[in-house]
Amino acid sequence: MMYPVIVTGSATRIGKAIAKRLAARGYPIILHYRRSEREAIELAEDLNAEVVYADLSDSKSVQAMVVELSDRKIGGIVNNASSFIGNSPAERLASDWNELFGSNARGPFFLTVGLIGSVVDGGSIVNITDIHADIPLKGFTAYSMAKAALSQMTRSLAKEFAPRVRVNAVAPGAILWPEKESSEEFKRTVLTAIPLRRLGTAEDISRTVQFLFESPYITGETIRVDGGRSL
Ligand SMILES: NC(=O)c1ccc[n+]([C@@H]2O[C@H](COP(=O)([O-])OP(=O)(O)OC[C@H]3O[C@@H](n4cnc5c(N)ncnc54)[C@H](OP(=O)(O)O)[C@@H]3O)[C@@H](O)[C@H]2O)c1
C-alpha cells in the first residue's frame, strides 16, 4: 500500500514536476500551495490529488496544516516551497528574514516534526535545499543562511528519525530562472559558471527526489544536481 506524499509549493515549476513524477510512480499526492490556488486545483484534478493551504512563514498557518493532516498516515514529505529574496533594505529586513526563514527553514521544520508521528515506517522526507546552502550566493545572505539551516535539518533529523524514517536533500544548482525577470548578463554569467553549460530541468530534480524515495539505505545525504557548478 502506498501512502500519500505531501509536496510543498507544488502548484508550479519544480514542485509540480516532483508531484507529477511521484504520482506517476503510484504515490497518492497532497499538493500544498500558498498563492497558487488555481494552479493547485487544476493539477489536483489531473493527478487525482488533494490540496492543502499553508503560509509557511506564519506559525499558526503551519500548525493548522499539521492539525488538518495529523489523523492521516503519510508516506513522506517533500519540503520544496521556498521564497527567494535578495538582500533587503533596512525597512524590509525583518519581514524578509521572517519570510525567508519561515518558508525555507522554520516552516519545513515544524511541518516535518509536527507530522512525523503520522509518517509510516519506511517513510521518506526529502528537503529541496540549494548549492548555496554551502557556497554563499552574493546578494542573498539571509536566503543562503536559511537554506544552510534546512541542510543541517536534513542531517539532524536523519539521526533523530532513524531507523524509522529517512531524511535526505536535493541541492539544485541553476534549474529555472527566477520568476522575476533575469537580465541577459546575469544569465550569461550563471551559464559560464556551469561545467555542463546549460541549466538543469525540473525533471533533473524530480528524478533525484524519486531516487531518494526509492533508496532504502540512504539517509542524511544531500545530492547536488547542478551540472558541476559547485566543483
Ligand atoms: N529554480 C532554481 O533554479 C532553483 C535553484 C536552487 C534551488 N532551488 C530550490 O528548488 C525549490 C523549487 O524551486 P522553484 O524555483 O520551483 O521555486 P519557486 O517557484 O520560487 O517557489 C516554489 C513555491 O514555494 C511556495 N512558497 C514560497 N513562499 C512560501 C510560503 N511562505 N508559504 C508557502 N509556500 C511558499 C510558492 O507557492 P505558491 O505559488 O502557492 O504561493 C511557490 O510556488 C525551492 O526550494 C528552491 O529554493 C531552485
Side-chain angles (χ1 to χ4, degrees):
M1 165 138 191
M2 292 176 104
Y3 294 98
V5 174
I6 303 165
V7 185
T8 68
S10 53
T12 60
R13 291 166 58 90
I14 293 174
K16 178 177 180 177
I18 295 169
K20 285 173 76 169
R21 190 163 186 111
L22 293 179
R25 298 295 293 174
Y27 291 96
I29 300 293
I30 301 176
L31 300 167
H32 155 270
Y33 71 95
R34 177 174 62 166
R35 293 186 180 136
S36 303
E37 183 177 19
R38 184 176 49 77
E39 291 90 338
I41 289 169
E42 271 173 29
L43 182 61
E45 279 167 13
D46 286 354
L47 302 183
N48 197 17
E50 298 170 65
V51 293
V52 60
Y53 162 88
D55 178 352
L56 296 173
S57 65
D58 175 349
S59 306
K60 287 198 180 110
S61 182
V62 175
Q63 191 49 32
M65 177 170 165
V66 168
V67 169
E68 188 176 336
L69 296 173
S70 59
D71 60 348
R72 306 281 300 275
K73 285 190 174 171
I74 305 286
I77 304 171
V78 182
N79 286 304
N80 165 79
S82 163
S83 280
F84 181 66
I85 307 169
N87 290 348
S88 314
E91 65 276 13
R92 282 214 323 271
L93 198 56
S95 67
D96 285 353
W97 167 281
N98 186 52
E99 175 60 37
L100 284 165
F101 273 75
S103 61
N104 287 292
R106 194 183 60 216
F109 175 75
F110 280 93
L111 186 67
T112 304
V113 169
L115 287 173
I116 192 63
S118 305
V119 178
V120 296
D121 290 5
S124 184
I125 313 290
V126 177
N127 300 318
I128 310 300
T129 60
D130 193 311
I131 55 167
H132 297 301
D134 289 325
I135 306 162
L137 178 59
K138 189 167 163 44
F140 289 81
T141 298
Y143 169 79
S144 301
M145 290 167 71
K147 285 294 197 187
L150 185 63
S151 177
Q152 178 58 251
M153 177 180 126
T154 304
R155 292 188 295 273
S156 292
L157 292 186
K159 257 190 176 173
E160 297 292 344
F161 299 159
R164 216 174 62 72
V165 174
R166 296 179 301 107
V167 186
N168 290 292
V170 179
I175 308 297
L176 301 174
W177 299 119
E179 290 270 79
K180 281 176 237 153
E181 207 178 310
S182 314
S183 73
E184 288 308 312
E185 191 196 344
F186 170 77
K187 289 183 182 176
R188 256 197 315 277
T189 312
V190 170
L191 285 173
T192 50
I194 302 172
L196 294 186
R197 285 289 183 275
R198 63 167 178 88
L199 292 189
T201 64
E203 263 296 297
D204 289 321
I205 305 303
S206 66
R207 191 182 302 119
T208 312
V209 172
Q210 180 198 330
F211 168 76
L212 288 169
F213 263 76
E214 296 174 355
S215 300
Y217 201 55
I218 300 181
T219 196
E221 189 56 89
T222 295
I223 302 182
R224 289 187 305 242
V225 180
D226 69 349
R229 186 169 176 198
S230 46
L231 292 173

